Structures are given as C-alpha cells and as structure tokens.
C-alpha cells in the first residue's frame, strides 16, 4: 500500500513547468539583488556581517566579490530553468544560497529559509527529464512521468508552512488589529491604496483574511470544487503582498506552487500540450526506496517540531527571539529600542561608550539594539577588536526595547559582562531579562 501511494507513476507536467518557473524566479532573485543594491547594503558596506552563530567562517568575499558570486548564482538559475547540467546547477545554487543565508541575518526573512527547503526538494526530484537541454544532449534521460511522492512532498511541506503561519497569528496583538495597523502605517503614501490601508476596517480584513487564508489554502486547493476560487484568492493575496510588502520573488513562487494542486491533465493541456500525457499509473519501486523513506521520516518530523521549539524555551519568543527563526512566524511584531555598550578596561578601569556607527550600518544598529543574539555577537566582536589592540575589557549593555510600540523594558541584564557571556543554542540565556508578561 505504501509503495503504491509513494511510487505510483503520474504525469510529470507540473514538475517540468514548475522547474522552468522556479529557475526563472531564482535567476531574478540573484540578479535582482545586484541591481536593487541589496548586495551593496547587506554584504559589501558592512565591516562584518552577523552570521548565524556557529558559522563565523562564512564571510562575504572581499571587494566586489559578492557581485560576481550573485552573478554566478543567476547564471546557475538560468541553467536550472533550461535544464542544462541540472543536477550540478541546482546543487551549486543550493550551496551558494545556503551559504549567504547563514552568512548574514540582518536581512533575515522566513522566505529565504523556505527557498532553501525548495532548493533541496528540487535537488532530489527528476525535474530535468523533459523540456530540458539535458534531454536534448542525452535522449535517454527523457521521461513523461514521475513518482507520486513528488507531489505529496511539496503539498505536505506547504501545509506545514501555511498552518504554522496561521496559528502564529493567534495572539492578542494580532487579534486586536494592532499588528495589521502597525504593518500598514508606513504604507500611507502608496499609490491608489495608501489611504485604504489606513482604515480600521482594512486592518480587520487583513487580520481575519491572514489567519483564514493561511489555514485553509492547502486543503481548499486540494478539493476540486473549491480549487479555482481559492486559486483566484491566492492570486489576489500574493499580488497584494508583492505590492505592499515588496518581498521579492516569493509571492510569485507561492503562485507557482499551485501547479502541484491542479490536475495533471489540466497542467499538461495548458502548458505542455505537445508532450505525450502519461496515464498508465504503474508502480515502480526504486532501488533506493528505503533510503528515500528514511529521508522522509527525518525531514517531516523535523519540519513539524522545529517551529515548536520555542515552547521548550523559557520566555515569550516575541521578546527573547529564542526559537523565532525557521518557525514561520511572519510579520507578527515590530521591535524598537535603544542600546548602549559600556566598555570597561580591566587593567586601567577606564570607562568608554561605544559609538555603534563606527562599526555598524544603520540597519545593523537596529539589530544590535533589539535582538539578543546580535547583541551577544556584537559584544564578542568588540571583545576581539579590543584584544587586537592589547586591551582586555568588560562589556555592559543597557538595552531598552519595545515590542509593538508598548512600554520599553530592559532586555539585557546590565550587570552581566557580555564579553564573558555564553550563548546557549537550545535553551534560554539567563542574561536576557524576562518580565512577568513574558514568563
């Protein structure tokens, strides 16, 4: 029964069309980062980047090296789109994108993590077996079918993402309409819709639509009778996000995912009508069956458990940030704050205060004033800088932070020497202060 469910062959039109769309979009993502100035602002102008803790060895290339890096990524995206040296091209893009993701988190976005997951998916699926240069060069690669698990994999992964995104919104600040209002506050100058986005009724529409859309999109796309109207809603939802939030390729990637929900016959008829349609429904069990099932048995429990890890960590994740990343907690809060870094020379007792602008960009300053892990990393960086000058120092941070424009509170214990503080990857760091409403 399991073999039939996973390894029955189905028409592969949805995967082939998705590969073409996906390759085009990741090309735009890479080359767009060059022309929009994202690389300059994020990877070239900063003196250093705040990488994921433990990946300090990943640093931007010197000079203009990151422009060439992203130029190569874009070229690999083109190769993915046309199916040329597909396995090498998708492997290269996956590795390069993952390195940049781990290299910096000043521009962290859950969508960047999602792209890693989809790149891994595209790495293991037979996406170059039709309408590809690889097939032109080697006709033996040509196939018009794929195993059913390809569709099941992407549907289940998307269900996890959307469900967690919906459930995460079930907290007071979102349900009161405060967060939607806050998100729209900076959009009042937008052409045509700016004033509408400031209306209270708009905020409540966003409130409930955000919850219900994320919760129901996958099941209603799976159900034939609701598929088309839900797809039309998805077009509106993702184009709205694209225009209002300016989040790059991801609204369009989300629309491309819909290919896996429509019938294979429809996708074939609309996009690959010259391709023979596969309808034999054979069951072909691959030699690596057990390995593949083993991967699924690790992958999906991990995807389900990882977003829940903050429940095992003391404190409110909105405040501590511990367990926030890779948990599909998207657009849920705003944090603002001020932080001072006091340097005490352990030999002379001299006290100085750090001018953050001497070391950080404006965006990094905001991060180093509100995010505990970045505050810890900046403290460690300062410790290294002073050590290079032969000075042994203590660092004390006074950070007062507001979540969703509420009263500012002390985030970091000002009595703790952050130069000697340890970072706990899995549990609460005691130097992050908790307050009664965060316990």
């Amino acid at each position: 029964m399991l073999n039939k469910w996973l390894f029955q062959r189905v028409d592969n039109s949805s995967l082939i069309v998705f590969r073409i769309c996906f390759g085009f979009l990741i090309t735009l993502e890479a080359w767009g980062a060059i022309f929009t100035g994202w690389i300059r602002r994020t990877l070239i102008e900063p003196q250093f980047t705040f990488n994921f803790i433990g990946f300090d060895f990943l640093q931007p290339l010197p000079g203009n090296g990151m422009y060439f890096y992203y130029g190569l990524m874009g070229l690999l995206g083109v190769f993915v789109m046309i199916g040329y040296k597909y396995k090498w091209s998708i492997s290269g893009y996956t590795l390069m994108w993952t390195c940049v993701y781990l290299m910096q988190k000043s521009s962290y976005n859950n969508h960047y993590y999602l792209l890693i997951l989809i790149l891994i998916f595209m790495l293991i699926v037979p996406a170059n077996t039709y309408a590809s240069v690889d097939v032109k060069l080697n006709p033996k690669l040509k196939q018009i079918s794929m195993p059913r698990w390809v569709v099941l994999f992407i549907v289940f992964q998307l269900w996890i993402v959307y469900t967690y995104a919906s459930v995460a919104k079930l907290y007071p600040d979102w349900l009161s309409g405060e967060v939607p209002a806050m998100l729209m506050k900076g959009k009042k100058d937008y052409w045509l819709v700016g004033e509408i986005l400031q209306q209270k009724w708009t905020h409540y529409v966003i409130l409930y639509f955000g919850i219900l859309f994320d919760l129901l999109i996958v099941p209603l796309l799976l159900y034939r009778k609701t598929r088309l109207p839900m797809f039309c809603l998805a077009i509106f939802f993702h184009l709205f996000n694209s225009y209002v939030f300016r989040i790059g390729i991801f609204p369009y990637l989300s629309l491309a995912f819909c290919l896996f929900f429509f019938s294979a016959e429809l996708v074939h008829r609309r996009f690959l009508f010259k391709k023979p349609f596969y309808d034999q429904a054979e069951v072909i069990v691959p030699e690596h069956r057990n390995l593949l099932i083993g991967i699924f048995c690790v992958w999906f429990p991990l995807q389900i458990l990882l977003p829940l890890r903050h429940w095992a960590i003391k404190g409110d994740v909105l405040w501590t940030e511990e367990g926030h990343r890779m948990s599909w907690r998207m657009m849920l809060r705003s944090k603002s704050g001020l932080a001072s870094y006091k340097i005490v020379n352990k030999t002379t007792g001299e006290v100085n205060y750090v001018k953050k602008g001497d070391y950080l960009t404006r965006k990094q300053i905001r991060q180093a004033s509100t995010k505990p892990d970045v505050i810890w990393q900046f403290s460690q960086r300062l410790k290294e800088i002073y050590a290079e000058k032969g000075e042994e120092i203590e660092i004390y941070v006074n950070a007062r932070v507001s979540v969703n424009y509420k009263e500012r509170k002390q985030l970091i214990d000002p009595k703790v020497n952050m130069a000697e503080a340890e970072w706990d990857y899995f549990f609460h760091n005691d130097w992050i202060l908790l307050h009664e409403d965060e316990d």
Side-chain angles (χ1 to χ4, degrees):
M1 183 65 180
L2 183 61
N3 284 343
K4 183 177 181 181
W5 185 248
L6 293 177
F7 301 113
Q8 179 175 310
R9 307 294 292 188
V10 297
D11 186 83
N12 65 354
S13 296
S14 57
L15 178 61
I16 301 305
V17 177
F18 181 79
R19 186 207 79 223
I20 296 170
C21 296
F22 183 71
F24 176 70
L25 289 173
I26 62 175
T27 299
L28 290 182
E29 179 66 26
W31 287 347
I34 298 174
F35 294 109
T36 60
W38 185 91
I39 293 174
R40 174 180 51 78
R41 294 189 303 271
T42 307
L43 299 173
I44 293 179
E45 288 182 352
Q47 297 179 31
F48 58 91
T49 61
F50 290 112
N51 51 269
F52 276 67
I53 296 173
F55 291 89
D56 307 66
F57 59 92
L58 292 175
Q59 296 294 325
L61 297 175
N64 292 323
M66 295 308 296
Y67 288 123
F68 295 101
Y69 186 98
Y70 269 77
L72 176 58
M73 281 177 62
L75 182 61
L76 292 175
V78 172
F79 289 168
V80 169
M81 179 175 63
I82 65 176
Y84 177 66
K85 302 289 185 183
Y86 177 77
K87 289 299 182 183
W88 287 103
S89 300
I90 193 69
S91 297
Y93 199 106
T94 302
L95 178 62
M96 296 178 77
W97 179 265
T98 303
C99 285
V100 173
Y101 173 81
L102 296 173
M103 185 186 298
Q104 66 81 32
K105 56 190 176 188
S106 295
S107 296
Y108 176 83
N109 191 315
N110 271 286
H111 294 127
Y112 296 161
Y113 170 53
L114 176 61
L115 185 52
I116 291 177
L117 301 182
I118 302 306
L119 283 164
I120 294 172
F121 165 76
M122 293 299 288
L123 179 59
I124 64 176
V125 297
N128 64 328
T129 55
Y130 195 85
S132 70
V133 175
D134 287 346
V135 168
K136 290 283 187 183
L137 298 175
N138 183 7
K140 292 181 180 179
L141 292 174
K142 188 174 182 178
Q143 292 184 18
I144 60 171
S145 67
M146 64 183 179
R148 181 189 277 168
W149 68 258
V150 172
V151 176
L152 298 178
F153 187 107
I154 197 69
V155 168
F156 193 34
Q157 179 65 65
L158 292 174
W159 176 78
I160 292 171
V161 172
Y162 278 114
T163 301
Y164 276 122
S166 175
V167 172
K169 294 180 176 69
L170 300 177
Y171 86 103
D173 286 0
W174 182 274
L175 295 174
S176 69
E178 290 180 33
V179 173
M182 175 189 67
L183 291 174
M184 296 302 111
K185 190 175 182 180
K187 320 294 182 186
K188 60 183 177 181
D189 294 328
Y190 277 30
W191 176 77
L192 191 63
V193 298
E195 287 301 319
I196 296 175
L197 295 178
Q198 308 311 308
Q199 304 302 311
K200 195 162 188 177
W201 66 265
T202 304
H203 304 156
Y204 279 98
V205 169
I206 293 170
L207 185 167
Y208 291 110
F209 192 81
I211 293 172
L212 293 175
F213 180 88
D214 287 346
L215 187 64
L216 299 175
I217 177 67
V218 169
L220 292 184
L221 280 176
L222 287 171
Y223 185 48
R224 183 178 59 82
K225 292 185 178 180
T226 56
R227 185 175 297 141
L228 184 57
M230 200 63 196
F231 178 62
C232 293
L233 271 179
I235 293 174
F236 168 79
F237 178 79
H238 292 303
L239 291 182
F240 174 86
N241 284 343
S242 177
Y243 179 66
V244 172
F245 296 113
R246 314 289 170 88
I247 48 178
I249 68 168
F250 296 99
Y252 307 98
L253 181 60
S254 298
L255 289 174
F257 289 141
C258 294
L259 287 162
F260 293 101
F261 291 88
F262 283 95
S263 69
E265 293 89 346
L266 179 62
V267 176
H268 172 266
R269 188 167 65 250
R270 295 292 186 190
F271 298 102
L272 293 175
F273 52 88
K274 292 185 178 181
K275 167 184 170 292
F277 182 74
Y278 181 86
D279 58 1
Q280 297 179 37
E282 296 177 275
V283 176
I284 302 177
V285 181
E287 293 181 1
H288 55 277
R289 170 195 181 276
N290 291 339
L291 174 62
L292 199 58
I293 292 176
I295 292 173
F296 296 158
C297 289
V298 173
W299 179 277
F300 287 110
L302 183 63
Q303 291 299 310
I304 292 170
L305 293 174
L306 196 60
L308 297 174
R309 70 192 187 281
H310 69 88
W311 291 106
I313 303 173
K314 188 178 180 181
D316 185 348
V317 63
L318 290 168
W319 175 256
T320 68
E321 302 275 336
E322 294 168 314
H324 169 75
R325 295 185 181 89
M326 299 180 286
S327 62
W328 314 119
R329 304 180 59 81
M330 296 176 274
M331 298 183 184
L332 292 180
R333 53 94 177 94
S334 172
K335 293 182 82 172
S336 60
L338 297 171
S340 64
Y341 290 73
K342 183 172 74 173
I343 305 294
V344 179
N345 188 303
K346 294 176 72 172
T347 303
T348 66
E350 182 182 358
V351 175
N352 289 297
Y353 285 86
V354 173
K355 294 181 179 179
K356 295 190 289 293
D358 291 343
Y359 303 96
L360 306 175
T361 65
R362 292 175 64 182
K363 189 168 188 175
Q364 287 179 321
I365 289 174
R366 291 195 296 271
Q367 302 274 316
S369 300
T370 58
K371 297 187 181 300
D373 59 333
V374 176
I375 290 172
W376 180 84
Q377 285 179 285
F378 185 42
S379 298
Q380 302 308 304
R381 179 73 176 186
L382 290 170
K383 178 182 176 180
E384 293 173 3
I385 291 171
Y386 276 83
E388 290 172 359
K389 297 187 292 185
E391 297 183 39
E392 192 175 355
I393 61 170
E394 296 176 351
I395 303 173
Y396 298 94
V397 178
N398 180 20
R400 297 190 63 81
V401 173
S402 168
V403 177
N404 296 339
Y405 298 106
K406 293 182 170 59
E407 178 188 357
R408 283 183 179 172
K409 298 178 182 179
Q410 200 81 38
L411 178 63
I412 306 298
D413 188 341
K415 298 177 183 178
V416 171
N417 175 13
M418 292 300 293
E420 300 300 328
E422 299 289 335
W423 176 258
D424 193 319
Y425 290 86
F426 304 106
F427 298 101
H428 175 63
N429 291 275
D430 291 334
W431 44 265
I432 303 174
L433 293 177
L434 300 179
H435 304 277
E436 288 186 5
D437 51 341
E438 278 93 39
D439 287 341

